[in-house]
Amino acid sequence: MTTITDLPFETLSSILEEAAKLNLRESPTFTYGLTEAPEPLRNTRMQIYVRGMVPPDILRWDTTDSIRQVHRIWHYWALDYSFKELYIRRWRGSERWLESHEFKNPQRKISSVVVYRDSFRLLKNTAKLLTDFPEIASHVRRVWFNGFYVAESSQYIFDILRHCTNLRSASLPWTAMRHGQIEGWARLLDHGEGNLPFSSLELLAVDLKGSQKANPSNGVDNRVTEHQEIDFGQLTRLKMFGNTNFNPICNGDLKQIAKTARNLREIHITGMSSISIEGRE
């Protein structure tokens, strides 16, 4: 007797993807914050407010959670579907909000207090997950880091990138070009034979706080682009965006990249006053 598991994988994949889309209709697409922490001796009532949209990677995981528990093959399909893109955002710190799966019982969270949470918590947990389970990391095709600009966070970023052997595209903070180790950049830019090429790199810059600029560890510059081991030859797309008041990417960096970036098809430089006409030529 033929069952659904006997179907060709391409057909099964289309069916499971359609099921995930149907599950999305019933899944919350927003996160819900709590207004304020209750203070001692005050009868403060916390209220829920719409905080923002659930990141796409978390939505994909929520919609495939029931699917992946049915069959081993379905589990591997769900991993590939859910982890093909990772969006890792920095926590603000002293806040708490309801995750999408917790909103079904919000009253349980209403009585809790708002506490400080490590702003690198998600970054650290992702690095540990991919280190402990490299099979999961092999499904990642694109990764986007948002809000991590200090030397400590750069270490965790490259811990994650080290395990994503099939990565094709990454959006990194510009500080990764300063804090990143030569070995980490060489591994990222050249996955080696048999693996999918890493072909798209985005470097996003913002202004840093005074305390971050004053921290000596954040001032480290490993001059990645000047080392012979670094080869940008696999890149077909390079994007640099935004101004910064700390160690910006400049003409010299762009000239060093140009020495090996022989296969670029697209290059975007937007809103960067540190790169002049000379650097764009």
Side-chain angles (χ1 to χ4, degrees), residues 149-154 174-181 208-224 244-248:
Y149 310 118
V150 298
E152 180 186 358
S153 61
S154 294
W174 87 104
T175 49
M177 190 69 75
R178 305 303 185 203
H179 303 152
Q181 298 294 326
L208 291 189
K209 298 179 180 178
S211 58
Q212 293 174 323
K213 293 169 58 179
N215 189 331
S217 63
N218 295 334
V220 173
D221 185 358
N222 292 323
R223 300 185 178 276
V224 172
T244 179
N245 55 7
F246 187 72
N247 277 349

Side-chain angles (χ1 to χ4, degrees), residues 155-270:
Q155 176 185 346
Y156 291 108
I157 286 175
F158 280 92
D159 284 344
I160 292 172
L161 297 175
R162 175 163 56 93
H163 296 288
C164 299
T165 54
N166 290 318
L167 193 66
R168 298 181 184 178
S169 175
S171 296
L172 307 178
W174 87 104
T175 49
M177 190 69 75
R178 305 303 185 203
H179 303 152
Q181 298 294 326
I182 307 305
E183 179 183 357
W185 271 103
R187 185 185 297 111
L188 172 65
L189 295 170
D190 183 13
H191 287 320
E193 296 182 2
N195 292 323
L196 297 171
F198 177 76
S199 58
S200 177
L201 174 64
E202 296 182 358
L203 298 171
L204 311 179
V206 300
D207 286 337
L208 291 189
K209 298 179 180 178
S211 58
Q212 293 174 323
K213 293 169 58 179
N215 189 331
S217 63
N218 295 334
V220 173
D221 185 358
N222 292 323
R223 300 185 178 276
V224 172
T225 58
E226 299 179 7
H227 290 260
Q228 296 181 351
E229 300 94 325
I230 306 302
D231 188 343
F232 295 89
Q234 287 191 147
L235 292 184
T236 59
R237 180 176 180 271
L238 176 63
K239 179 179 180 179
M240 300 179 180
F241 179 84
N243 265 327
T244 179
N245 55 7
F246 187 72
N247 277 349
I249 295 173
C250 58
N251 293 343
D253 297 309
L254 204 59
K255 289 178 180 179
Q256 292 293 335
I257 292 174
K259 291 180 179 179
T260 56
R262 298 174 294 272
N263 295 311
L264 281 180
R265 299 175 185 173
E266 300 178 40
I267 182 167
H268 304 268
I269 303 175
T270 307

Side-chain angles (χ1 to χ4, degrees), residues 42-196:
R42 289 188 59 185
N43 185 19
T44 305
R45 179 181 177 84
M46 286 192 295
Q47 297 182 356
I48 299 174
Y49 67 95
V50 176
R51 181 181 181 276
M53 296 192 67
V54 178
D57 51 347
I58 296 179
L59 273 179
R60 286 194 298 270
W61 182 255
D62 288 345
T63 56
T64 59
D65 186 48
S66 58
I67 294 174
R68 68 183 181 86
Q69 300 180 49
V70 175
H71 192 276
R72 180 172 58 88
I73 295 177
W74 296 19
H75 170 71
Y76 287 115
W77 175 87
L79 286 180
D80 191 69
Y81 181 81
S82 302
F83 283 92
K84 60 184 177 182
E85 295 184 5
L86 288 183
Y87 177 78
I88 305 174
R89 181 177 60 183
R90 178 179 177 272
W91 293 74
R92 292 182 180 178
S94 55
E95 62 178 10
R96 171 172 289 181
W97 63 84
L98 301 179
E99 303 292 352
S100 58
H101 62 276
E102 296 172 341
F103 188 62
K104 297 177 182 178
N105 186 19
Q107 294 302 322
R108 180 171 62 87
K109 286 291 182 180
I110 289 295
S111 60
S112 63
V113 296
V114 179
V115 296
Y116 174 81
R117 304 185 74 171
D118 184 0
S119 58
F120 295 160
R121 177 173 176 265
L122 180 58
L123 187 68
K124 293 176 180 178
N125 287 348
T126 303
K128 185 178 186 304
L129 173 68
L130 300 187
T131 300
D132 294 343
F133 302 97
E135 169 62 25
I136 294 179
S138 67
H139 294 283
V140 180
R141 300 292 184 269
R142 171 172 170 73
V143 64
W144 182 7
F145 297 95
N146 185 352
F148 304 103
Y149 310 118
V150 298
E152 180 186 358
S153 61
S154 294
Q155 176 185 346
Y156 291 108
I157 286 175
F158 280 92
D159 284 344
I160 292 172
L161 297 175
R162 175 163 56 93
H163 296 288
C164 299
T165 54
N166 290 318
L167 193 66
R168 298 181 184 178
S169 175
S171 296
L172 307 178
W174 87 104
T175 49
M177 190 69 75
R178 305 303 185 203
H179 303 152
Q181 298 294 326
I182 307 305
E183 179 183 357
W185 271 103
R187 185 185 297 111
L188 172 65
L189 295 170
D190 183 13
H191 287 320
E193 296 182 2
N195 292 323
L196 297 171

Side-chain angles (χ1 to χ4, degrees), residues 7-17 77:
L7 294 173
F9 183 76
E10 292 77 8
T11 304
L12 177 62
S13 178
S14 298
I15 294 174
L16 295 180
E17 185 172 352
W77 175 87

